[in-house]
Amino acid sequence: MSYVFLQHYWWFIVSLLGALLVFLLFVQGANSLARTLGWTEEGRRLVYNSTGRKWEFTFTTLVTFGGAFFASFPLFYSTSFGGAYWLWMIILFTFVLQAVSYEFQNKLGNFLGPRIFQFCLTFNGIVGPLLLGAAVATFFEGSNFLIVKDNLVTEGIITPIISRWANTSHGLDALLNPWVLVLGFAVVFLTRVLGILYVMNNVADEDIRSRGSVRLIGSAVPFLILFVGYFVHLLLKEGYAVNAEGIVYLEPMKYLNNFLTMWYLLVILIIGVVFVLYGIGKTVLSKGYNSGIWPAGVGTVLVILTLLLCAGWNRTAYYPSTADIQSSLTLANSCSSKFTLTTMFYVSLLVPFVLAYIVYAWRAIDKKKLDKNEIQDDHAY
């Protein structure tokens, strides 16, 4: 296995984890709509107990995504997680707040009342996907950081720091870019679409299912407008290309060229889009159909996977620097050693077994559709 192969392999693994994370954000999407999906207190509890069965999957995937980045591309981890820490800290804070809110909203002795914790779940349902979408957008739009690798060999420096943020906002400056916000809100509405589809499939309540069909249109339309708008912008914008010597330069319509060069990614992208549209369309048009989460979920994974692969493969700088273009991170200049990537490659062969267990556990949890009887249990959220 060559070093180049290992770099591309691990970018694929990281991209796959990122795509799965976006799919699992249906938990956040459903929570952000809990008060409209479940019009009554009983209905809201049905929604929260439905998503409460799956929030651990989302949180674990988020942590695994960060861990995989740390092990395979440590310079990205130190630059983004260390430099843009306000962005990542807010994301992590909202997810911790989510876990606490699930456990305490209906516990005895909760002097704050359940609505405070339900508000926190809604807050996580909007802010979490928005900021994660914004973080993904920086792979294409760039971030304001500097890399100075000479610090590693400079004498007299006790604590060499090779990457630093070029301003004091530490990641929040990304939100000043309107295109970052466009993709961020596209992810918010995508998670709402997936959340509605999941609850309609998981909860045996006709009132929630009928409301879900109406709310689905209200989330799908802005999602499609925002996503198509950003995708067209992405295909037409300049991208950060890398030549054979490792020099980063701006290339007109770089990401369009990537899709044309890597035509198989374009095919997968189109298949993913068709799956998402099929899941949404059939749910809206067919009253008795409530399995739209599966085609839409598979389509979401395929679309996000191809976008992330397009950001890093084909000699592309996957984390561009707007402060200094030569500080941009590529697969070659930010990865771990060949020994580390090789060792992790063999460990990654166990991943299919882990995924098989997750599928088994998921099916066991969802063997019976959630109904009003289950929220009477003492262990219900």
Side-chain angles (χ1 to χ4, degrees):
M1 291 181 293
S2 69
Y3 199 15
V4 173
F5 166 79
L6 290 168
Q7 292 165 0
H8 284 71
Y9 171 80
W10 276 103
W11 183 252
F12 171 80
I13 295 296
V14 168
S15 299
L16 180 59
L17 287 170
L20 290 172
L21 174 61
V22 173
F23 162 64
L24 291 170
L25 289 176
F26 68 76
V27 171
Q28 278 63 37
N31 287 344
S32 70
L33 290 167
R35 300 190 71 84
T36 56
L37 282 176
W39 190 250
T40 64
E41 183 62 33
E42 188 177 58
R44 287 192 288 273
R45 288 200 67 189
L46 280 172
V47 174
Y48 291 133
N49 277 272
S50 175
T51 59
R53 296 175 170 186
K54 299 297 188 303
W55 73 266
E56 293 96 337
F57 289 100
T58 310
F59 194 89
T60 303
T61 305
L62 175 63
V63 174
T64 306
F65 174 72
F69 245 135
F70 171 74
S72 53
F73 300 98
L75 188 52
F76 168 81
Y77 190 90
S78 64
T79 301
S80 183
F81 289 78
Y85 58 79
W86 281 123
L87 182 67
W88 290 108
M89 285 298 291
I90 294 173
I91 292 172
L92 290 174
F93 172 75
T94 64
F95 275 85
V96 172
L97 197 62
Q98 174 203 54
V100 173
S101 299
Y102 270 122
E103 295 298 331
F104 289 98
Q105 59 175 314
N106 288 303
K107 293 295 184 183
L108 292 175
N110 170 20
F111 65 92
L112 294 175
R115 290 200 173 185
I116 294 295
F117 290 108
Q118 290 172 3
F119 169 80
C120 292
L121 290 173
T122 303
F123 179 76
N124 167 255
I126 298 173
V127 176
L130 173 64
L131 296 185
L132 283 170
V136 171
T138 61
F139 289 166
F140 304 103
E141 304 299 327
S143 294
N144 203 7
F145 63 90
L146 295 168
I147 302 291
V148 187
K149 290 189 175 182
D150 291 342
N151 284 355
L152 287 174
V153 294
T154 301
E155 297 181 0
I157 298 180
I158 299 176
T159 307
I161 299 175
I162 66 174
S163 61
R164 64 181 178 86
W165 218 249
N167 57 45
T168 58
S169 67
H170 294 291
L172 296 181
D173 53 301
L175 301 179
L176 298 177
N177 184 334
W179 287 112
V180 169
L181 291 177
V182 168
L183 186 58
F185 280 108
V187 172
V188 171
F189 284 106
L190 171 62
T191 62
R192 287 185 164 209
V193 168
L194 295 175
I196 293 169
L197 293 174
Y198 174 76
V199 170
M200 290 178 67
N201 175 258
N202 186 247
V203 177
D205 186 271
E206 287 305 317
D207 182 56
I208 288 179
R209 287 179 177 177
S210 62
R211 289 180 181 280
S213 298
V214 177
R215 300 298 184 275
L216 184 59
I217 299 174
S219 294
V221 171
F223 159 65
L224 292 173
I225 293 173
L226 290 167
F227 179 77
V228 170
Y230 186 81
F231 187 67
V232 172
H233 157 75
L234 180 66
L235 296 180
L236 299 180
K237 77 184 294 290
E238 289 185 320
Y240 294 79
V242 188
N243 65 18
E245 290 73 37
I247 304 299
V248 181
Y249 63 96
L250 290 174
E251 177 182 316
M253 294 187 287
K254 169 61 175 171
Y255 301 106
L256 175 60
N257 295 335
N258 280 0
F259 277 116
L260 295 178
T261 302
M262 300 181 290
W263 57 268
Y264 46 90
L265 291 186
L266 182 59
V267 172
I268 296 172
L269 175 70
I270 294 172
I271 293 173
V273 169
V274 171
F275 272 44
V276 172
L277 294 177
Y278 175 82
I280 296 172
K282 188 168 183 180
T283 303
V284 172
L285 298 176
S286 179
K287 185 177 180 180
Y289 183 76
N290 57 20
S291 298
I293 181 61
W294 304 120
V298 171
T300 296
V301 172
L302 294 179
V303 170
I304 301 301
L305 175 62
T306 55
L307 288 177
L308 292 177
L309 290 178
C310 182
W313 284 1
N314 195 39
R315 294 188 177 276
T316 308
Y318 69 86
Y319 200 49
S321 170
T322 57
D324 172 28
I325 192 171
Q326 299 311 319
S327 293
S328 302
L329 301 186
T330 68
L331 299 187
N333 69 14
S334 64
C335 66
S336 295
S337 66
K338 184 179 181 182
F339 173 79
T340 300
L341 295 181
T342 303
T343 302
M344 294 195 305
F345 171 83
Y346 291 111
V347 174
S348 71
L349 297 180
L350 298 174
V351 169
F353 298 97
V354 177
L355 292 177
Y357 173 76
I358 291 174
V359 172
Y360 170 78
W362 188 296
R363 289 176 63 87
I365 293 172
D366 285 351
K367 184 179 297 183
K368 181 179 180 296
K369 301 294 184 183
L370 187 68
D371 56 31
K372 295 178 180 179
N373 293 327
E374 292 199 36
I375 65 173
Q376 307 304 322
D377 191 282
D378 291 338
H379 300 290
Y381 291 117

